Amino acid sequence: MSTLTLGLALKPREDTELPSRIARSAAATTGAWLRTENFADWLEQRRQAHRFEVDRIPFAELDGWFFQQDTGDLVHHSGRFFSVQGLHVTTGDGAVRDWHQPVISQPEVGILGILVKEFDGVLHFLMQAKMEPGNPNLLQLSPTVQATRSNYTKVHKGADVKYIEYFTDPRRGRVHADVLQSEHGSWFLHKSNRNMIVEAVGDVPLHDDFCWLTLGQIGELLHRDNVINMDSRTVLSCAPFPDETNGALHSDTELLSWFTAERSRHDVSAVRVPLEGLPGWRRGEKTISHEEGRYFDVVAVRVQAGSREVTGWSQPLFEPVGRGVTAFLTRDIDGVPHVLAHARVEGGFLDTVELGPTVQYTPGNHAHLGEAGRPPFLDLVLGASADRIRYEAVHAEEGGRFLNAESRYLIVEADEDEAPLDPPPGYRWVTPAQLTTLVRHGHYVNVQGRTLLACLNAMRTHT
């Protein structure tokens, strides 16, 4: 395959019937290939079919990785994949306005792609049971293709990435979504991936570890802990659900104007610095840790995975300290569902802020700041009674770079006293349809917000 073909940007062609086809798939909870009640058995069969093992090791036992002599940065000998560097972030406001941290630098753009095809008149999504070393249960449902450029150009000299041709060759399918989206701005520096949905033309071979599911089935699985991985969730958020509501509190133009003003008013500086001697951080034989035991550790692992393109390797991973809490507050405003979005500053974003959930925090990381540094709405979410929780599940973050990085994702109903129509600065009421429109463009909604958008859509199929 030529470099020209690999680099070709695929342009989605408008399909006026696509939103209604998406809605039909979301309403279909019985698939043509696999019944949802049999999914857990199928996933366990795939787990038993391969050998999976992840062991923590000292940094000195990493194969192909080393700390650079001049900077102390942790890099791969090929110069590809990713590196762990230091970052110095300063912001104009917030409880903490200046900090240092390790950060993952991975400038290459990967592909996260889901292949879709109609069976019995209903769109099905081709999902993969994929092992990632950082997943709490190792095996989760990933997109059809989840590959860095180093993966699919075979820098690692491994096997071909299955189905990659559908996402690099315009002749193989019809593109329904193709957009650059950010990853975790707190842990990645300027990281983007292509999020793609492509409808196949012609027959599609079904390989081991892959299954066809309707969007309704995937919606049901999103209510289970640690089943649908982060990469799947972000691609699913790009699906063009039909806009079934009118009457948003703020028009699209007003929302974009507010968001532009938020980006303009924040002064954020993120400067790469050497990992060696990073203020507030200590490097040991097995971990790079914050001196107060907060935030995350950098660790090293050795991996065996029989189902991957490369069956054995070692690598660094970021391991958070504590489970995160990520939530949208929701209200019906004049009969129209809205969620309260937050214009979040994260050091790794390309453009200062992106829209995120109302609450996106690891509570223990803020305990030392006292009452004045307590994040807005966090106590409301933590104290929500069961009858106010409209959605709840534990989802892991990106298992290829993060170890046991879990967040409790929630959608919590609020009232005027708790979450007024005129919220604090930096917050805005938006409809799910407005979020869906924004996600069709890059770097407007962060990865946690996109997960919750996928979950909001899943609520339509689980009522």
Side-chain angles (χ1 to χ4, degrees):
M1 187 174 296
S2 70
T3 303
L4 176 62
T5 302
L6 286 173
L8 188 61
L10 303 182
K11 301 294 185 182
R13 289 176 287 168
E14 291 300 325
D15 180 351
T16 57
E17 296 183 359
L18 183 60
S20 62
R21 298 170 69 209
I22 291 289
R24 284 199 300 273
S25 182
T29 54
T30 300
W33 189 86
L34 178 68
R35 297 182 65 84
T36 313
E37 55 266 32
N38 297 331
F39 171 80
D41 290 339
W42 177 83
L43 189 64
E44 183 58 30
Q45 289 171 5
R46 302 324 308 159
R47 193 189 316 277
Q48 296 298 326
H50 306 285
R51 180 190 175 202
F52 299 126
E53 186 174 338
V54 179
D55 298 308
R56 296 172 187 260
I57 59 174
F59 291 124
E61 294 183 16
L62 282 169
D63 182 16
W65 296 83
F66 65 98
F67 290 100
Q68 285 184 322
Q69 187 171 359
D70 54 344
T71 64
D73 294 351
L74 184 54
V75 300
H76 193 261
H77 70 83
S78 68
R80 302 292 293 274
F81 300 110
F82 65 96
S83 61
V84 181
Q85 305 175 355
L87 191 70
H88 181 206
V89 183
T90 57
T91 68
D93 57 8
V96 179
R97 303 187 181 188
D98 184 288
W99 70 90
H100 291 80
Q101 66 169 90
V103 72
I104 298 171
S105 177
Q106 186 175 345
E108 64 182 26
V109 175
I111 291 177
L112 308 177
I114 297 180
L115 196 64
V116 300
K117 185 174 174 61
E118 278 197 0
F119 296 97
D120 299 331
V122 177
L123 279 177
H124 286 60
F125 292 61
L126 186 59
M127 310 299 290
Q128 178 184 181
K130 188 178 184 69
M131 181 273 190
E132 293 287 355
N135 287 342
N137 52 1
L138 293 184
L139 203 65
Q140 296 188 12
L141 272 191
S142 83
T144 318
V145 166
Q146 177 183 319
T148 66
R149 179 173 288 273
S150 292
N151 289 148
Y152 67 78
T153 57
K154 299 182 23 172
V155 170
H156 52 34
K157 297 180 173 59
D160 291 334
V161 174
K162 293 181 174 65
Y163 303 106
I164 186 65
E165 64 273 14
Y166 289 94
F167 301 93
T168 57
D169 184 347
R171 299 165 296 182
R172 300 301 297 267
R174 185 174 186 183
V175 180
H176 292 315
D178 187 357
V179 59
L180 286 176
Q181 298 287 10
S182 64
E183 295 214 11
H184 295 76
S186 294
W187 296 332
F188 280 109
L189 180 63
H190 301 168
K191 178 71 174 76
S192 297
N193 278 320
R194 286 177 76 179
N195 286 225
M196 303 181 68
I197 299 174
V198 175
E199 185 168 358
V201 174
D203 294 334
V204 178
L206 186 63
H207 298 291
D208 291 341
D209 300 320
F210 291 82
C211 66
W212 291 103
L213 298 171
T214 68
L215 199 50
Q217 290 179 291
I218 296 170
E220 290 189 347
L221 295 176
L222 273 168
H223 286 78
R224 303 183 188 181
D225 293 349
N226 286 325
V227 172
I228 306 294
N229 82 353
M230 185 217 78
D231 298 294
S232 294
R233 300 190 305 264
T234 179
V235 177
L236 291 167
S237 74
C238 299
F241 270 79
D243 183 359
E244 299 170 345
T245 61
N246 292 304
L249 180 62
H250 304 286
S251 70
D252 292 351
T253 300
E254 290 169 341
L255 177 61
L256 286 172
S257 178
W258 168 81
F259 182 68
T260 302
E262 286 294 314
R263 278 189 165 168
S264 301
R265 77 177 180 87
H266 287 283
D267 185 14
V268 180
S269 170
V271 179
R272 299 173 199 247
V273 296
L275 187 62
E276 181 70 29
L278 192 67
W281 295 81
R282 297 177 298 201
R283 188 178 109 194
E285 291 184 1
K286 292 186 175 182
T287 62
I288 301 171
S289 303
H290 189 264
E291 60 188 11
E292 301 295 336
R294 290 192 291 268
Y295 311 122
F296 60 88
D297 297 334
V298 183
V299 301
V301 296
R302 182 183 296 114
V303 184
Q304 293 293 324
S307 61
R308 294 290 297 263
E309 292 85 13
V310 173
T311 57
W313 71 94
S314 61
Q315 68 170 95
L317 290 170
F318 279 26
E319 182 175 27
V321 176
R323 176 182 286 179
V325 176
T326 304
F328 268 137
L329 293 182
T330 183
R331 288 185 58 184
D332 278 3
I333 301 174
D334 292 333
V336 178
H338 286 68
V339 295
L340 187 59
H342 180 205
R344 286 185 56 86
V345 172
E346 296 183 14
F349 285 155
L350 274 169
D351 196 353
T352 63
V353 303
E354 294 188 13
L355 283 184
T358 320
V359 168
Q360 182 190 312
Y361 303 102
T362 300
N365 290 341
H366 298 266
H368 67 292
L369 298 175
E371 194 63 31
R374 191 74 171 168
F377 304 109
L378 176 59
D379 291 330
L380 174 59
V381 168
L382 293 177
S385 58
D387 64 330
R388 310 268 304 267
I389 297 175
R390 298 291 170 257
Y391 173 90
E392 181 178 13
V394 174
H395 294 303
E397 306 304 332
E398 212 280 301
R401 299 292 177 264
F402 312 133
L403 178 63
N404 298 323
E406 293 180 306
S407 289
R408 181 183 173 217
Y409 280 88
L410 303 107
I411 298 171
V412 177
E413 187 174 355
D415 59 29
E416 173 66 21
D417 291 336
E418 298 163 328
L421 291 186
D422 185 16
Y427 293 83
R428 207 69 159 185
W429 290 103
V430 302
T431 67
Q434 287 177 314
L435 283 180
T436 296
T437 299
L438 290 175
V439 166
R440 302 285 282 179
H441 306 276
H443 302 287
Y444 277 92
V445 182
N446 77 355
V447 67
Q448 291 88 347
R450 298 196 302 273
T451 279
L452 278 173
L453 178 58
C455 297
L456 277 166
N457 290 331
M459 291 169 62
R460 307 185 189 191
T461 70
H462 202 75
T463 56

